[in-house]
Amino acid sequence: MTAPRDPNRLIDAFLSEGQTDLPDHVYDEVRTEIEHTGQRTVFGPWRNSFVNRLVAVAAVAAVVVLAVVIGLQLGAGGPLVGGPGPSASASAPPSVEPSTEPSPQPSAEPSVEPSTGVEPPFTCDLPITLVAVGSDFHPLITQDIRVGTHDGYDRIVFEYDGGTPNLELDLAQPPYVQNPSGLPLTVAGSPVYRITLTGATKYDMESGEQPYQGPTDFEPGFTQIVQFVEFGDFEATHNWYLGVNKGDCLRAFTLLDPSRLVIDIRH
Amino acid sequence: MGWIERIAGPRLSLVVMHQALIERAKLGDRDAFDDLARSAGDRCMAIACRILRDTDLAEDAVQASLITAWRELRSLRDADRWEPWLHRILVNACYAEARRRRRWSSAIRMLPVEVASGRDEILTVHDRDQLERAFRRLTVEQRAVLVLHHYVGLPVPEVADRLGIPLGTAKSRIHHATIALRASLEADARVPSQERTA
């Protein structure tokens, strides 16, 4: 009779086996690559929450001071009678009403960043993947999600607070379900793509805040984007379905300051 | 022996040298980064190989992570965090490689087994085969936590910190992955010996 074997010891032994040397050609390829690769410029520790709060407080204070100064200057030209504040000055057009509710539908105007001239070419090879870039050790918090249409392509932009997550963009096959509930989901458009953002979430677990409060189901009626709908935000993985009018090539890339992950769908 | 080693001892001198290399590399010194890459490359390869179970994919993941590290090095605020920072980039690169290639179930090239001679052999060939099959059925996220915990030897909170996931998630992944691996061994133990050799 043999003594019972410890499974943990077996797992340790199993994982201890295998290659441990990186071949020289990989170092050589890295060296060749970095010879013509620059380093990203970093202006400050933007993801430090204390610094972020200081910056936010300073920005609010600056806006308040500016508003007071402008208000005083306008007030010096004549007394304000019954006005709620500087914005109610006579020079303001009466049709301009500040909206207090976020628009449920995105604007059909090219409200999302137009081409910057540094985008990669469109590709029809799927999946498209991007490797995460982050400056510290927490999931990236989604700051904004925008869709827009431009001459020749529709664009989706995810904005983050100091890095971009892993992206995988691939064709999705029905049935479409929500993650993690598994409940069915109807997605308009054909084909439908699945967007997986690993290392990102809308919820800031540390502060309990959710900076992005906008829509999670877009039906903008653009040339390509029929429906763009979230189907999961779980365990730092953010999932979306993208239904389009016709299958065409796409591209994905990142932009800096602020950190954005961009997906374009060619018309 | 240099002045740092004479004053501080070899371990501290290594840390100081490492920090100096990082600071030089942050200023754009490619030779310094080359030295950093060579000091970290083998460790990265070992981790990537164990997560991906494929030498080619692991090489690609390490290459991608080192290039990303060069490009993003200025965002590394604390030089002491170089290794955790690099490992997080590496694990992300492993995720990307795994999903891009989708070769989990049909991998032809198996991880070469290098067993030191004279070592206490606790794994049978059959154990190894069962564990390999069970390991390949795990998600890449489960593999990553197992490798960082069992192979690198990090405590679970540090695994969570290094991967940027909540502690509960790390615990859950390790728990389910360990159960799956144990189940493969226990199922094997229940199989009559004549079936194993059939």
Side-chain angles (χ1 to χ4, degrees), chain A residues 47 132-134 136-142 160-161 163-167 196-202 233-238, chain B residues 88 92 95 99 141 163-165 173:
Chain A
R47 299 208 62 204
V133 171
D136 65 12
F137 299 87
H138 302 284
L140 295 159
I141 309 302
T142 309
Y160 298 99
D161 56 342
T164 50
N166 277 324
L167 164 75
T196 306
L197 301 158
T198 312
T201 178
K202 297 196 303 297
D233 187 354
F234 181 63
E235 291 193 343
T237 300
H238 204 180
Chain B
R88 184 168 186 197
N92 282 326
Y95 293 167
R99 293 188 169 114
E141 289 85 1
L163 296 180
I165 57 177
R173 286 180 186 169

Side-chain angles (χ1 to χ4, degrees), chain A residues 15 24 50 70 104 107 140-141 173-174 179 194-195 224 232 257:
Chain A
L15 287 173
D24 282 341
F50 177 69
I70 291 172
S107 166
L140 295 159
I141 309 302
Q173 302 297 333
N179 178 35
R194 188 186 67 249
I195 296 167
Q224 274 285 35
D257 302 322

Side-chain angles (χ1 to χ4, degrees), chain A residues 5-49 126-140 162-171 194 196-200 205 234-237 254 256, chain B residues 25-28 30-31 33-34 37-38 40-43 45-46 49-50 53 55 59 62-64 66-68 70-75 77 81 84-85 88-89 92-93 95-96 99-100 102 111-115 119-124 127-128 131-132 135 141 146-147 150-151 160-166 169 172-173 178 181-182 185-186 188:
Chain A
R5 300 181 306 160
D6 177 6
N8 278 334
R9 199 166 160 232
L10 293 178
I11 295 169
D12 285 345
F14 170 70
L15 287 173
S16 71
E17 296 178 350
Q19 185 165 335
T20 56
D21 299 329
L22 185 64
D24 282 341
H25 73 86
V26 179
Y27 293 116
D28 296 341
E29 285 159 19
V30 169
R31 180 64 200 233
T32 304
E33 184 68 27
I34 68 171
E35 284 297 338
H36 52 82
T37 300
Q39 289 179 311
R40 189 167 72 91
T41 303
V42 176
F43 295 101
W46 308 120
R47 299 208 62 204
N48 181 309
S49 58
L126 294 176
I128 294 174
T129 59
L130 292 177
V131 176
V133 171
S135 59
D136 65 12
F137 299 87
H138 302 284
L140 295 159
T164 50
N166 277 324
L167 164 75
E168 185 197 13
L169 195 166
D170 202 355
L171 274 174
R194 188 186 67 249
T196 306
L197 301 158
T198 312
M205 305 291 273
F234 181 63
E235 291 193 343
T237 300
T254 58
L256 300 174
Chain B
K26 277 183 166 184
L27 296 172
R30 288 172 170 80
D31 291 333
F33 185 80
D34 200 45
R38 286 178 187 279
D42 286 349
R43 181 83 155 161
M45 181 65 180
C49 260
R50 279 150 185 80
R53 315 303 296 171
T55 307
E59 285 179 10
V62 175
Q63 184 175 332
L66 289 173
I67 292 167
T68 302
W70 161 257
R71 202 174 59 235
E72 298 297 324
L73 191 60
R74 290 176 187 173
S75 69
R77 293 194 295 273
R81 300 279 290 175
W85 181 80
R88 184 168 186 197
I89 294 174
N92 282 326
Y95 293 167
R99 293 188 169 114
R100 188 158 68 87
R102 297 180 186 284
L111 190 70
V113 174
E114 294 173 359
V115 180
R119 203 179 62 174
D120 179 23
E121 275 290 334
I122 64 165
L123 275 180
T124 66
D127 288 336
R128 198 172 284 121
L131 284 168
E132 185 71 45
F135 200 83
E141 289 85 1
L146 269 189
V147 169
H150 280 272
Y151 176 68
D161 179 51
R162 203 164 284 203
L163 296 180
I165 57 177
T169 303
S172 163
R173 286 180 186 169
T178 306
L181 294 184
R182 284 183 174 196
L185 293 167
E186 286 162 8
D188 177 50

Side-chain angles (χ1 to χ4, degrees), chain B residues 3 37 60 78 106 117 125 139 145 155 176 194:
Chain B
W3 65 272
D60 288 350
D78 182 354
S106 59
S117 60
V125 172
T139 65
V145 293
H176 287 107
Q194 61 269 29

